[in-house]
Amino acid sequence: MGAPVVVNNMNTEELQQTTTALMAGDKGLLAMDESLPTCNKRFQEAGIPQTEEYRRKYRQLIVTTPNLGEYISGAILFDETVYQSTDDQVLFMDVLHRAGIIPGIKVDEGTVEMPGHPKEKITRGLDGLTERLNNYYGLGARFAKWRAVITIGEGIPSDENIAANTKLLARYALLCQQADIVPIVEPEVLMDGDHTIERCYEVTEKTIKVLFTQLQAEGVYLPGLILKPNMVIAGKDCPVQKSTDEVATATVNCLLASVPPEVGGVAFLSGGQSPQEAARHLHAMHVKFDDKLPWPLTFSFARALQQPALELWKGKDENVKAAQDMLYFRASMASAARAGQYSVDIDN
Ligand code: 13P
């Protein structure tokens, strides 16, 4: 064994290995990193008590789902979950490792209104980030996530908002790589609103292009980085919703125009699409474009994997098995989509 390759104060070999493992086979990522307010909101909607113990029970249900590692390569956790254990005192981090699932961690600290831009958001979390990353690495995390939110509306997003959010993403990515942690960079263009698919394309392409300019300026190692983009899709309230083929084509064309080929992987968020829609779109991209894609293209869904299981669970012990079966099934459907082998006939 030679000495590790160290460039820009980072171990590129380890970063590359982690990225390859996360993108392996037909697997994808499970985002289970809902912040306290988001998790509580989902619980409230499903009639589940919003307490730390119920959050622990729910995350236990997820990480102990039998054979989830067949379809899931990595799970993104929230800080609270990193320190939680199963009923028999096994840390969730260890449960995941044993299941062959790499633990990751959300490290941004949520969004706030951008000063001077009341309708736009900026993400917080750079303070003390290196110390937190070193701590998480010691606990077994090998990748991280930072989400920036870009809102489409009247006169927005502004250039200032895109520049500020992507600058923060690039700083975060560099600090991650210097801590031997693979950064997932997530510039989410929201589906909220009545904008057209064309507008989503334009904003997504611009945001990702600016993001890669910033990442390259920071000296981020692109083969050791995963992009987590939105699909290119019309706003939820837009009267014109395009076909599966049109969404798949717009999304892949947008990414081919903006994401450098050396990037380690691309893993979509679901963003409010139903599990079936998200799977159909990913499947169509693979069927039509598989030989044109320079990077692995997979999923990193939260709602499109978890939501049906959460609704079955309802916070009740007697529903755990049914909820786990549903989570496993949704993961198998997302994986089939990545393989270009999904069909509505098998998804029922
Ligand atoms: P959704 O798949 O529910 O959009 O969540 C993905 C995610 O990680 C949001 O940050």
Side-chain angles (χ1 to χ4, degrees):
M1 290 259 298
V5 185
V6 178
V7 180
N8 203 0
N9 202 20
M10 59 178 79
N11 180 346
T12 54
E13 215 168 83
E14 181 175 349
L15 293 169
Q16 173 99 67
Q17 275 167 10
T18 304
T19 308
T20 303
L22 288 170
M23 291 295 120
D26 292 321
K27 297 183 188 184
L29 306 173
L30 166 63
M32 49 177 290
D33 61 334
E34 296 82 5
S35 61
L36 298 184
T38 304
C39 189
N40 287 342
K41 179 168 164 257
R42 304 257 151 86
F43 276 17
Q44 190 176 20
E45 285 161 2
I48 298 163
Q50 297 113 61
T51 66
E52 181 175 351
E53 176 57 7
Y54 273 89
R55 291 192 295 273
R56 187 195 67 80
K57 280 171 177 273
Y58 180 57
R59 266 68 186 252
Q60 167 171 266
L61 179 162
I62 294 176
V63 301
T64 61
T65 293
N67 306 317
L68 197 59
E70 289 171 16
Y71 304 117
I72 300 295
S73 56
I76 316 171
L77 309 186
F78 179 66
D79 180 72
E80 177 182 80
T81 317
V82 170
Y83 301 98
Q84 289 176 326
S85 305
T86 58
D87 295 342
D88 43 7
Q89 309 307 322
V90 186
L91 278 169
F92 292 160
M93 298 288 278
D94 295 336
V95 177
L96 288 169
H97 273 295
R98 287 179 207 163
I101 298 174
I102 303 171
I105 177 77
K106 169 190 174 78
V107 297
D108 68 71
E109 295 178 331
T111 59
V112 290
E113 184 182 303
M114 182 174 172
H117 294 257
K119 287 184 286 182
E120 297 185 284
K121 298 265 196 280
I122 195 89
T123 304
R124 296 177 303 180
L126 279 189
D127 284 352
L129 182 57
T130 293
E131 291 71 23
R132 287 191 285 131
L133 289 168
N134 290 335
N135 176 46
Y136 290 133
Y137 188 95
L139 294 165
R142 291 295 176 269
F143 71 104
K145 187 192 99 173
W146 177 293
R147 172 174 176 256
V149 173
I150 306 292
T151 311
I152 298 182
E154 188 96 8
I156 57 171
S158 63
D159 289 348
E160 293 82 0
N161 184 253
I162 292 176
N165 268 314
T166 53
K167 175 83 185 163
L168 289 164
L169 276 167
R171 285 299 298 166
Y172 140 83
L174 182 69
L175 295 178
C176 282
Q177 291 190 334
Q178 290 177 338
D180 300 330
I181 286 189
V182 168
I184 295 187
V185 294
E186 180 180 9
E188 177 173 3
V189 177
L190 294 178
M191 277 172 70
D192 298 340
D194 62 359
H195 53 270
T196 60
I197 191 172
E198 289 78 14
R199 180 86 177 114
C200 179
Y201 186 116
E202 188 191 337
V203 171
T204 304
E205 181 183 19
K206 180 173 177 178
T207 303
I208 295 177
K209 280 186 169 168
V210 176
L211 171 63
F212 278 100
T213 303
Q214 306 260 28
L215 288 165
Q216 278 160 326
E218 289 286 351
V220 168
Y221 175 64
L222 296 186
L225 168 135
I226 295 167
L227 174 71
K228 177 162 172 165
N230 51 282
M231 295 185 192
V232 173
I233 194 164
K236 281 198 293 250
D237 302 326
C238 179
V240 185
Q241 295 291 330
K242 298 290 181 156
S243 69
T244 301
D245 181 66
E246 285 167 308
V247 170
T249 303
T251 302
V252 172
N253 284 340
C254 180
L255 294 176
L256 288 174
S258 56
V259 184
E262 59 270 36
V263 164
V266 175
F268 290 108
L269 60 97
S270 57
Q273 299 178 72
S274 73
Q276 291 76 9
E277 264 179 299
R280 263 201 330 264
H281 289 147
L282 182 60
H283 165 81
M285 291 181 217
H286 279 286
V287 169
K288 192 161 174 185
F289 294 102
D290 238 357
D291 53 345
K292 298 198 176 57
L293 302 174
W295 359 257
L297 187 69
T298 188
F299 57 91
S300 175
F301 300 155
R303 280 164 289 178
L305 287 170
Q306 290 184 50
Q307 194 61 30
L310 178 69
E311 285 164 14
L312 277 174
W313 176 51
K314 298 192 185 81
K316 298 203 162 59
D317 291 347
E318 62 267 30
N319 297 336
V320 166
K321 165 98 177 49
Q324 288 185 327
D325 289 349
M326 177 56 85
L327 178 63
Y328 177 82
F329 178 68
R330 290 281 21 125
S332 77
M333 290 296 102
S335 173
R338 178 184 175 179
Q341 287 169 4
Y342 174 84
S343 84
V344 280
D345 302 335
I346 55 169
D347 194 1
N348 54 41

